[in-house]
């Protein structure tokens, strides 16, 4: 499998020291199997940080190496997915011990809906219903060093714009 990471620089050696805690799946190294999604992440990260150039780093990964690991896979935007995002977005303690979390991205098109839900204005059922029409891309979040060790740096894509 090929996974992509979008940033303002190439990331040949991913590590957890640079991860933020208030993202969808909490602290971790974020990748996607969708190249266009990674390009959007690269552009937004570069704008937000005000430095570097939009860059996508490619990794090969053999998912059979994940068998002994704790992998949480959300196949759709459901209540469990929304609950997990809520814990992370509110920076509540995450007592899960996942090595890898896979699932839909609450992307820019859905941020407002998730924000309204987090504010308590709409219920979880209403939030999920509002999210269903969106084509949610995927994200693979590597939350431990042993999970990151399964990523094999392959290539870098720059200057595609």
């Amino acid at each position: 499998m090929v996974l992509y990471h979008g940033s303002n620089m190439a990331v040949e050696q991913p590590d957890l020291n640079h991860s933020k805690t208030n993202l969808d799946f909490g602290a971790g190294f974020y990748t996607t199997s969708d190249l266009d999604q990674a390009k959007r992440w690269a552009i937004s990260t570069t704008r937000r940080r005000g430095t570097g150039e939009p860059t996508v780093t490619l990794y090969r990964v053999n998912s059979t190496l994940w068998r002994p690991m704790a992998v949480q896979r959300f196949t759709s935007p459901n209540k469990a997915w929304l609950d997990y995002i809520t814990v992370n977005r509110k920076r509540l303690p995450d007592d899960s011990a996942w090595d890898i979390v896979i699932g839909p991205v609450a992307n820019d098109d859905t941020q407002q809906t998730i924000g309204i839900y987090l504010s308590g204005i709409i219920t979880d059922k209403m939030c999920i219903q509002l999210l269903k029409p969106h084509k949610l891309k995927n994200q693979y979040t590597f939350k431990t060093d042993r999970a990151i060790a399964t990523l094999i740096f392959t290539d870098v894509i720059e200057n595609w714009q």
Side-chain angles (χ1 to χ4, degrees):
M1 169 178 15
V2 175
L3 295 175
Y4 307 95
H5 174 77
S7 187
N8 63 326
M9 67 181 118
V11 182
E12 293 182 28
Q13 297 283 311
D15 67 68
L16 296 172
N17 295 327
H18 297 93
S19 63
K20 293 183 178 180
T21 58
N22 65 332
L23 301 174
D24 289 353
F25 297 156
F29 184 72
Y30 282 72
T31 63
T32 180
S33 64
D34 185 273
L35 178 58
D36 289 333
Q37 176 72 35
K39 287 178 178 178
R40 284 192 297 278
W41 284 347
I43 292 167
S44 66
T45 300
T46 303
R47 282 185 188 144
R48 187 176 62 252
R49 292 182 179 165
T51 184
E53 295 295 325
T55 306
V56 174
T57 308
L58 286 69
Y59 306 93
R60 270 185 308 109
V61 65
N62 180 347
S63 60
T64 60
L65 298 174
W66 299 346
R67 286 187 185 139
M69 295 185 199
V71 178
Q72 171 65 338
R73 193 179 295 264
F74 297 104
T75 58
S76 64
N78 57 27
K79 175 87 167 87
W81 171 82
L82 188 58
D83 288 346
Y84 191 66
I85 288 175
T86 300
V87 163
N88 292 305
R89 291 288 177 92
K90 287 187 172 182
R91 296 181 188 191
L92 299 172
D94 178 7
D95 59 359
S96 66
W98 304 116
D99 292 297
I100 300 169
V101 180
I102 304 165
V105 175
N107 63 23
D108 294 339
D109 296 336
T110 62
Q111 287 292 57
Q112 187 174 11
T113 303
I114 298 231
I116 293 169
Y117 168 72
L118 292 175
S119 298
I121 296 171
I122 60 175
T123 66
D124 56 347
K125 289 179 183 167
M126 291 172 71
C127 182
I128 292 167
Q129 203 58 30
L130 289 168
L131 293 173
K132 282 184 179 179
H134 294 280
K135 185 174 190 274
L136 302 177
K137 304 293 185 180
N138 65 35
Q139 57 191 344
Y140 291 72
T141 306
F142 295 79
K143 299 179 70 62
T144 62
D145 289 331
R146 77 180 191 151
I148 286 175
T150 66
L151 293 171
I152 300 165
F153 169 76
T154 318
D155 201 1
V156 175
I157 302 172
E158 298 174 290
N159 303 316
W160 69 83
Q161 300 174 345

